[in-house]
Amino acid sequence: MEILKKVSGYIAAVLALAAGVLAFYFVDVEGLLWALQKEPPVNSSDIVSADSDDWLGDVAGREAGEGIRCLTSGEEWEELNKVDYVTVKPAHVYKTGVYKLADWADPSRRSRNGTYKGSKANTKKMPFDYLWGYAPYLGMEYNPYYIVELEDGSRILAMMSRSAASRASHGKSMPLGVKEYYGGNSTALKEVCESMGVSMEYYLRAIDEEWIGERALFILVGKAVCGVAALALVVVIDSVVEKKLKKKSEV
């Protein structure tokens, strides 16, 4: 019992730290913002020519509405035009661990006084979604690549937000996506794609970079706040439990 009392403080500290880290990584702040601030679904009738006055612009990453084609097979993917928006209800979503620098991110690394320190890597292999990037956005300025398995078992390369991937892996449809030429030379991504039998010639871009870019820092701060709150909660619970045990031992 005495030994337990001596190590209880250390155990509580470890549990608090673990709770904070888990909350930081798994609380979906992006998904919450998406649910509160998302644009209305885009229907097939809303997608018109860029020459039209009603053109919505690039709608990749937006929620798919009525009449949007759902991609189900590798054959459909091969035949897909590069101007048609589609959605996918994946059988599986696989993380590649490879990330591409977002279009909205500053490609230069700079010191606090603004001195140029070189270019950021266009692609990075990261074991976790966050904290492997550059300040102040850390990992948020890199968009993840995923491998998406279609209904017929074929697999394609795709890019979507972390929150969208989480929803898709739990049975939801992916956001609107458009077929794009890859054109990169990431050795890490090539190794993953080759091991899973996936072509890298094209990928499905299903991410709203503008939406994420405007909220990236807020999302990161929100996750940090959730992490600190979880850590503090465990500390408070431990303090309350310790006081109750102490009172019982004095009786």
Side-chain angles (χ1 to χ4, degrees):
M1 193 66 177
E2 289 298 322
I3 296 176
L4 183 60
K5 287 181 179 180
K6 290 180 179 179
V7 301
S8 62
Y10 297 103
I11 294 173
V14 171
L15 290 176
L17 182 61
V21 171
L22 290 174
F24 177 85
Y25 277 104
F26 293 108
V27 173
D28 190 5
V29 176
E30 179 187 318
L32 177 61
L33 287 178
W34 177 259
L36 294 173
Q37 304 176 5
K38 69 178 181 180
E39 299 284 347
V42 177
N43 303 322
S44 60
S45 58
D46 298 324
I47 301 175
V48 296
S49 169
D51 297 328
S52 171
D53 293 336
D54 298 323
W55 187 53
L56 295 177
D58 183 9
V59 293
R62 295 270 297 273
E63 183 179 350
E66 296 181 359
I68 299 297
R69 179 182 177 186
C70 184
L71 204 64
T72 61
S73 69
E75 183 179 356
E76 291 179 353
W77 170 249
E78 292 297 327
E79 297 174 351
L80 184 66
N81 292 322
K82 302 177 188 65
V83 294
D84 293 333
Y85 286 96
V86 295
T87 184
V88 178
K89 192 170 184 179
H92 294 285
V93 177
Y94 303 94
K95 291 186 68 173
T96 66
V98 181
Y99 301 73
K100 178 183 180 297
L101 187 65
D103 291 341
W104 56 264
D106 183 354
S108 303
R109 291 190 296 113
R110 298 183 182 278
S111 62
R112 291 184 178 180
N113 61 8
T115 305
Y116 178 73
K117 296 177 64 178
S119 299
K120 296 174 183 175
N122 187 54
T123 56
K124 287 177 69 75
K125 186 171 179 61
M126 303 191 288
F128 302 105
D129 276 335
Y130 308 98
L131 300 182
W132 256 257
Y134 306 94
Y137 298 104
L138 304 179
M140 281 297 300
E141 61 186 351
Y142 278 86
N143 297 323
Y145 282 111
Y146 296 92
I147 290 176
V148 173
E149 187 171 310
L150 306 179
E151 288 183 15
D152 71 341
S154 57
R155 296 167 177 172
I156 63 173
L157 186 63
M159 178 184 287
M160 55 185 148
S161 71
R162 297 156 174 82
S163 181
S166 177
R167 294 193 297 270
S169 66
H170 289 88
K172 302 294 184 180
S173 294
M174 285 174 52
L176 282 169
V178 65
K179 187 176 184 178
E180 285 201 354
Y181 179 66
Y182 171 66
N185 59 356
S186 170
T187 302
L189 186 60
K190 183 179 180 180
E191 290 175 355
V192 175
C193 288
E194 286 182 347
S195 69
M196 299 190 72
V198 177
S199 170
M200 287 179 60
E201 186 176 6
Y202 294 97
Y203 72 102
L204 185 65
R205 180 175 60 83
I207 187 169
D208 187 342
E209 287 215 52
E210 183 179 355
W211 190 92
I212 294 175
E214 292 173 350
R215 297 162 178 80
L217 192 55
F218 184 86
I219 291 170
L220 192 65
V221 171
K223 292 178 76 66
V225 169
C226 290
V228 172
L231 187 152
L233 180 62
V234 173
V235 171
V236 170
I237 292 173
D238 174 70
S239 178
V240 171
V241 171
E242 187 177 346
K243 287 180 180 179
K244 287 186 176 181
L245 291 176
K246 187 176 182 180
K247 285 183 179 180
K248 284 185 179 180
S249 64
E250 291 175 351
V251 174

